[in-house]
Structure formats: C-alpha cells, structure tokens
C-alpha cells in the first residue's frame, strides 16, 4: 500500500513537471518487488497483485519503457507470493501467456516458474513428460526466449516482439 502511494505520487509529480522523479524501469521493478513482499489476508494479497497488474499494463503501453531482465522475474515473484496456484490459475495463465508471448523467459525467470508452478503445468506448456527440473532454458521453445540473452547470445531465431499490442 505504501509502495503504491509512493509510486503514484512519483508519477503524479512527474506529470506536473518534476523531471527528477521520472519513473524508469528500475522504479517499476522495485514496485513489483515491493508488491511481492506485501503481507496480509487474501484481500490484501489480491490488491498487491492487482496493483502489479495495473503497473504492468502501464509499462507495456509505454512508448519509452521496456521490461528488462529483472521485470518478469519480479512480476512472477508477485504471483508466487500473492496468488494461490490453484484458485488463481486464470491470472497465472494470463501472466504466463504475456511472458512467453513477449519472449522474456530467461534463466532467472524459468527457475522462479519451476519453483512456483506445478510440474504438470510446465510439462503441459512444454508438451513434454520430462522432469521440468531437467529442462534448461536452452530447451525452451525459441519464441519464449527471443527477447533475452540465453547463455552468451540473444536468441535471434525470432524477431523482437512489440509489446504495445498486448
């Protein structure tokens, strides 16, 4: 709640002309991280997720800001800490689709996903019966990793995706 107040205040001050508080990708990532640490009942947790979702939509609609290698792992940490993998599967599916469609699955994020999502969920998404802990980021479909560095090189088999249409 405090993080959201501060985040909104920064955006408002910037809109009013204070260039010193211009939110950047680090601001968004820190906001997501703060939302992941929100504690309380299910209503409080859903409010933290909702705030994350709103900020994520705002970020994706931005002409100037793009997610970096820390953005999606931070968003998934919110999912892990604030959502119930059984009750909130529709939201998890939505975040999953946004993430893979954007090509943002890096090693950090894939490890977060494996720690949070049921193995059967990832097996189904990967169309495999292989143990998901034996799957590496290099085994993922290329479109999942097209906008991140995998190993030493960016996966250039696919073109970068324009996030504005999501």
């Amino acid at each position: 709640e405090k993080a959201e107040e501060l985040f909104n205040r920064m955006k408002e001050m910037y809109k009013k002309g204070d260039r010193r508080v211009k939110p950047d990708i680090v601001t968004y990532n820190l906001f997501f991280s703060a939302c992941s640490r929100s504690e309380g009942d299910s209503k409080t947790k859903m409010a933290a997720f909702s705030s994350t979702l709103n900020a994520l939509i705002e970020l994706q609609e931005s002409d100037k800001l793009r997610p970096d290698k820390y953005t999606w792992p931070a968003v998934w940490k919110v999912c892990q800490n604030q959502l119930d993998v059984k009750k909130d599967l529709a939201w998890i599916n939505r975040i999953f689709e946004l993430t893979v469609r954007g090509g943002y699955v890096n090693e950090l994020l894939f490890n977060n996903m494996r720690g949070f999502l049921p193995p059967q969920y990832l097996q189904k998404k990967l169309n495999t019966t292989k143990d998901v802990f034996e799957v590496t980021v290099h085994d993922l479909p290329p479109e999942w990793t097209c906008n991140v560095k995998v190993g030493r090189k960016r996966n250039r088999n696919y073109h970068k995706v324009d996030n504005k249409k999501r």
Side-chain angles (χ1 to χ4, degrees):
E1 195 173 297
K2 288 180 184 180
E4 186 173 21
E5 288 174 23
L6 179 60
F7 188 52
N8 288 335
R9 188 167 177 218
M10 284 179 70
K11 292 186 290 186
E12 201 56 43
M13 289 172 68
Y14 178 72
K15 283 180 187 174
K16 290 180 179 177
D18 190 341
R19 301 289 178 227
R20 298 172 300 164
V21 292
K22 180 181 180 181
D24 60 11
I25 194 60
V26 173
T27 309
Y28 278 84
N29 292 345
L30 288 170
F31 177 70
F32 297 143
S33 181
C35 287
S36 77
R37 291 181 179 90
S38 182
E39 296 179 354
D41 60 14
S42 61
K43 185 177 177 181
T44 302
K45 288 177 177 255
M46 189 49 77
F49 175 74
S50 180
S51 295
T52 298
L53 195 56
N54 290 334
L56 182 60
I57 290 166
E58 201 176 274
L59 177 60
Q60 290 190 305
E61 291 175 349
S62 171
D63 291 333
K64 299 194 175 16
L65 295 175
R66 292 284 173 253
D68 66 12
K69 66 182 181 181
Y70 302 106
T71 305
W72 286 101
V75 168
W76 275 93
K77 200 62 161 169
V78 174
C79 293
Q80 183 175 357
N81 293 348
Q82 307 305 347
L83 297 180
D84 180 302
V85 76
K86 292 177 185 155
K87 287 187 343 191
D88 300 316
L89 195 55
W91 286 116
I92 291 166
N93 282 329
R94 180 72 178 130
I95 296 296
F96 185 88
E97 291 305 319
L98 287 172
T99 307
V100 299
R101 197 174 340 134
Y104 293 110
V105 183
N106 61 18
E107 190 169 2
L108 174 62
L109 177 53
F110 189 54
N111 285 337
N112 286 0
M113 292 169 121
R114 286 189 298 197
F116 169 56
L117 297 170
Q120 302 85 350
Y121 181 93
L122 283 172
Q123 287 171 326
K124 184 176 179 183
K125 294 291 186 182
L126 289 164
N127 196 25
T128 186
T129 56
K130 193 174 182 181
D131 180 346
V132 295
F133 289 97
E134 292 178 12
V135 176
T136 72
V137 72
H138 300 283
D139 299 322
L140 300 178
E143 62 270 22
W144 289 22
T145 61
C146 64
N147 286 320
V148 296
K149 289 183 179 179
V150 177
R152 295 177 188 237
K153 299 181 199 171
R154 181 181 292 264
N155 186 345
R156 298 207 184 267
N157 295 333
Y158 284 80
H159 298 283
K160 288 185 180 180
V161 176
D162 181 8
N163 292 319
K164 288 182 71 176
K165 301 294 180 193
R166 287 189 191 79

